[in-house]
Amino acid sequence: MKKTTTIIICYFIFTLFFVSGVFNFTPTLTEVYMEDPDKAMFLDQLTEHKLQPVNTIKAVGNDSLVENVYFIVEVDVSFVKDKSECSIAYPEQLISVEQQGNTLMYRFSDELISCSDKLIEWKHGPDGNIKESDIQKDSTIEYSIQHLNGEKEIVKETCVGYQKKIRIKIKMLETPTLTVQQLPKHQLLLNVDALKKLTYHSSGDLGLADGSRIDTLQVVGYPNLSINNARIKLFTLNCKGLYNTDVANTVSISTDEQAQVNTLLISGKGEVQGLDESKFKHVVITPQRGKELAVNIDPIKQKLVIK
C-alpha cells in the first residue's frame, strides 16, 4: 500500500478576485436568499484533469480590496509516487487553473468573475439539492468528483461550523521541497511523512499535522502558526507585511505536547505570541533595524536564562 501525503490549503477569501497579467478584476459577489436569483453556482461538483509534476503552488491574485467574507477555498494536495497519477480536480464553474513549468497557479473562473454584479444562489451537494440548513443540522456535507476514468465519486465530509467552501484536490508527484505563495487570509494544513524544505509566504494560517517532519521551514508574513506535534530542525520566521491589505503585525504560535523545534530564528518587526520555550531548543531574535520585535514567552515551565 502506498503512502500519501496530504496538504490542505484553506483560502479565506476577503477579496473575491485574482490577477496575473491579464487577470485583472474587482468583483463584488452578493449572497442571495430569494427565489429568483440571477445566477446559480454549484460548490460541490468537481471534475478531475491531468496534471504534470509541480513543486510550487500559487494563488494568483490582487490584494487591493478586502471584502465579502462568506466562503473559503480549500486546496487538498496528496503526494503520489508516479507522475502518471498526477491530477487536479476542481469545480470548473468557479475555478481556472494554469501550469507554467513546475508552478501550478489557480484563480477564479471568468464565469464567476462575470457575476460580480449579480445575485448568486449557491447550490450545495453533488446534485445541488442539499439545503444549507440541513448541512448545519447534520454537520456533514457531500460533494462529487468526476474522475478521469469516467467514474463519479461521492465524498462525505464533516463540517462542524459549516462555511461555504470551494474545493481543489491535487495529486502531485512527491517532491523534497514545496513552495506555497498565497494571498492574505487563508489556511494551509500540511500532513507529511518527511519534507526537506517548506517555504510559505502568506499572512494566512499555517497548520502542521501530528507526525510532520520538516528539515527547514521558512515562513514570511504574519500568519497564525499551529505547529501541533510536528518536528522541525530549522524554523525561520520573517515577520513582515506582504500585501497592502496586511493590517496585522502579530504572529501567533501554538504547539502540542510532542512538538519539537531545534532552532527558531525570528526576524522583522511586530509581535510573536504564544511561544512555549520548552518546545524550542534554541531561539534567536533579530529585530529589523530601527523597529521593535516583541516576543511573548508563555508559559515558562522550566528554568529560562536570557542573556
Side-chain angles (χ1 to χ4, degrees), residues 218-238:
Q218 293 183 340
V219 176
V220 180
Y222 291 108
N224 293 319
L225 302 172
S226 298
I227 303 300
N228 299 316
N229 285 318
R231 295 175 178 268
I232 304 168
K233 292 181 180 179
L234 175 62
F235 178 10
T236 65
L237 172 60
N238 186 358

Side-chain angles (χ1 to χ4, degrees), residues 85-154:
E85 301 177 71
C86 295
S87 69
I88 177 169
Y90 55 93
E92 295 176 311
Q93 190 184 21
L94 307 176
I95 295 294
S96 294
V97 173
E98 178 184 359
Q99 182 174 349
Q100 294 183 359
N102 294 326
T103 300
L104 175 66
M105 299 180 291
Y106 59 92
R107 65 178 182 92
F108 288 113
S109 68
D110 292 338
E111 182 175 356
L112 185 58
I113 297 167
S114 68
C115 294
S116 61
D117 59 349
K118 295 179 173 62
L119 296 176
I120 295 178
E121 180 183 15
W122 295 101
K123 295 288 190 177
H124 306 277
D127 300 317
N129 56 7
I130 298 179
K131 296 180 179 179
E132 184 171 331
S133 58
D134 292 336
I135 299 173
Q136 295 172 340
K137 179 181 177 180
D138 299 335
S139 297
T140 58
I141 178 65
E142 289 185 347
Y143 62 91
S144 65
I145 303 177
Q146 188 70 41
H147 289 290
L148 290 167
N149 59 9
E151 294 183 0
K152 186 176 182 179
E153 178 186 7
I154 305 297

Side-chain angles (χ1 to χ4, degrees), residues 240-300:
K240 61 178 294 186
L242 298 174
Y243 303 94
N244 294 333
T245 53
D246 278 350
V247 294
N249 62 352
T250 300
V251 176
S252 176
I253 299 179
S254 63
T255 52
D256 289 338
E257 194 62 32
Q258 301 301 317
Q260 183 178 358
V261 178
N262 288 352
T263 301
L264 171 60
L265 306 179
I266 306 175
S267 61
K269 63 179 181 178
E271 184 177 4
V272 178
Q273 297 179 345
L275 192 64
D276 185 343
E277 52 81 27
S278 67
K279 304 300 188 296
F280 300 83
K281 291 184 178 180
H282 305 284
V283 179
V284 179
I285 304 169
T286 307
Q288 179 180 332
R289 178 173 294 184
K291 303 294 182 179
E292 293 184 353
L293 179 57
V295 178
N296 299 327
I297 301 176
D298 181 35
I300 297 177

